[in-house]
Amino acid sequence: MRGLSVLFSLAALGLSGAPSTAADTPDRVYRADGKWIANWGEDRCRISRSFVDRDGDTLVLFFEQLGPASTLRLLAAGKDINGLADAPGFVTIAFEGFPKADHGFLQGNFGDYGTSIFLAGVLPFGGGPVTAEDEPQRRGTQLDSARAREVSSFTLADLNYRVQINTGSLEHVFEALNSCSRDLMETEGMRMEELAKVATPPTLTNGEEVWRLLKFRSGEFGQPTGREGIFDLRIVLDAEGKIEFCRLVAGSAEKGFRDDHCDVFRDRAQFTPGTDAEGRPVRSLYTRRLVKRDAAYWRIPAKRRVPL
């Protein structure tokens, strides 16, 4: 069911470092203020909730997925996020009882809530952040809702400031995202059973040509503005490596984005199809995270210690 917003109560829903502990005293603590809101869009699964601290300041939190994965995307906005946004290129995220991880982020503005930070490739239960290059190995997996039962809070921190968000158990939140993401993938023409057969993911064989064309196309719709954006490319390929479905999803609050870049892939991209465990070509899913800095510049995130 796409395009559906649902309100539900907490009762209904219910990284390479040391685990987060009570010794990490937060500077600010936020408690839940209202219900979780599930918004099942045509191209994403999103759950949000508002939180409030003892001074009455409000923070809004979004968890988001674009398809089945053991990672998620996170957006947090509010007064205290402004201090974190001044961090030197990354923030540290730690779900209660699990290892910390440093994450790069994109900064923005979220209406009346103020400054926001957007993180992609968040792996909630340790193991470090997931880079764009590593994400294909996680296709067909899902969020671990059983482990999410153990979580009641998480923290966002820089070197000098720590914000704690008391979410309560995330078990049913993750279950809801898993259900939505499976449904979303089926609307794109790919079933979980098919995805599970893919042992070797597909590859783009003429990437440099395609990225050059994307940069040229991006220059057609604006001059540099200083804004940043994360975009996720999702392509379903048949067993011959031909495109059956393509979608480029704006992952952050980008305005005036012209969604015709899939034309470049349909016209020019060449793929080696995914294969099963016996090396036979099968239908598969190609995904890639892209970052646009300014209105006319595309890049693919480089593999680094603190990925976007």
Side-chain angles (χ1 to χ4, degrees), residues 178-197:
N178 284 341
S179 176
C180 174
S181 65
R182 288 193 300 268
D183 178 45
L184 178 61
M185 187 173 66
E186 290 189 3
T187 67
E188 297 175 352
M190 177 68 70
R191 301 190 310 273
M192 289 288 290
E193 294 79 9
E194 289 182 290
L195 206 55
K197 295 179 182 178

Side-chain angles (χ1 to χ4, degrees), residues 270-307:
Q270 299 173 11
F271 290 96
T272 299
T275 57
D276 63 14
E278 298 180 3
R280 295 173 299 195
V282 293
R283 294 182 77 237
S284 54
L285 179 68
Y286 177 86
T287 64
R288 196 65 192 243
R289 188 189 312 151
L290 307 174
V291 174
K292 184 166 71 69
R293 299 193 184 280
D294 290 327
Y297 177 53
W298 282 97
R299 73 178 180 86
I300 311 167
K303 201 166 195 176
R304 54 178 180 161
R305 188 177 69 88
V306 185

Side-chain angles (χ1 to χ4, degrees), residues 70-269:
S70 56
T71 61
L72 51 77
R73 298 137 64 96
L74 182 154
L75 184 145
K79 177 181 177 181
D80 284 307
I81 298 301
N82 188 54
L84 294 175
D86 292 333
F90 68 91
V91 294
T92 300
I93 184 170
F95 286 78
E96 180 187 17
F98 292 94
K100 306 173 184 178
D102 293 338
H103 266 272
F105 62 87
L106 292 184
Q107 179 181 346
N109 187 280
F110 201 76
D112 293 339
Y113 290 100
T115 301
S116 66
I117 55 174
F118 180 86
L119 290 70
V122 176
L123 191 64
F125 308 119
V130 176
T131 65
E133 289 77 8
D134 294 334
E135 280 184 320
Q137 306 307 319
R138 298 182 180 275
R139 296 171 191 154
T141 60
Q142 296 230 265
L143 294 167
D144 191 336
S145 58
R147 298 183 78 184
R149 186 185 308 130
E150 307 169 28
V151 175
S152 62
S153 67
F154 74 95
T155 59
L156 293 167
D158 61 15
L159 297 176
N160 302 305
Y161 198 70
R162 187 184 308 274
V163 175
Q164 177 175 311
I165 304 172
N166 292 337
T167 58
S169 170
L170 293 174
E171 177 185 8
H172 297 298
V173 175
F174 284 12
E175 285 178 349
L177 283 171
N178 284 341
S179 176
C180 174
S181 65
R182 288 193 300 268
D183 178 45
L184 178 61
M185 187 173 66
E186 290 189 3
T187 67
E188 297 175 352
M190 177 68 70
R191 301 190 310 273
M192 289 288 290
E193 294 79 9
E194 289 182 290
L195 206 55
K197 295 179 182 178
V198 181
T200 303
T203 56
L204 177 63
T205 59
N206 63 332
E208 289 301 320
E209 175 188 0
V210 172
W211 308 134
R212 284 197 301 269
L213 288 170
L214 272 180
K215 290 179 183 180
F216 177 79
R217 179 71 65 90
S218 298
E220 297 177 7
F221 68 89
Q223 297 300 316
T225 62
R227 292 182 311 196
E228 301 176 326
I230 287 181
F231 298 81
D232 284 83
L233 176 71
R234 300 178 59 78
I235 295 177
V236 175
L237 300 166
D238 66 17
E240 296 181 351
K242 304 298 184 183
I243 294 176
E244 294 183 356
F245 175 90
C246 178
R247 175 180 283 156
L248 190 60
V249 182
S252 51
E254 179 68 18
K255 304 296 184 183
F257 173 66
R258 210 177 64 195
D259 189 12
D260 61 356
H261 289 66
C262 276
D263 292 343
V264 172
F265 288 88
R266 292 190 180 95
D267 294 342
R268 306 298 285 272

Side-chain angles (χ1 to χ4, degrees), residues 33-53:
D33 181 35
K35 300 177 180 181
W36 288 99
I37 302 174
N39 190 302
W40 302 155
E42 292 296 329
D43 57 10
R44 73 193 70 207
C45 303
R46 175 182 285 173
I47 292 182
S48 64
R49 196 176 197 179
S50 294
F51 297 82
V52 64
D53 70 1

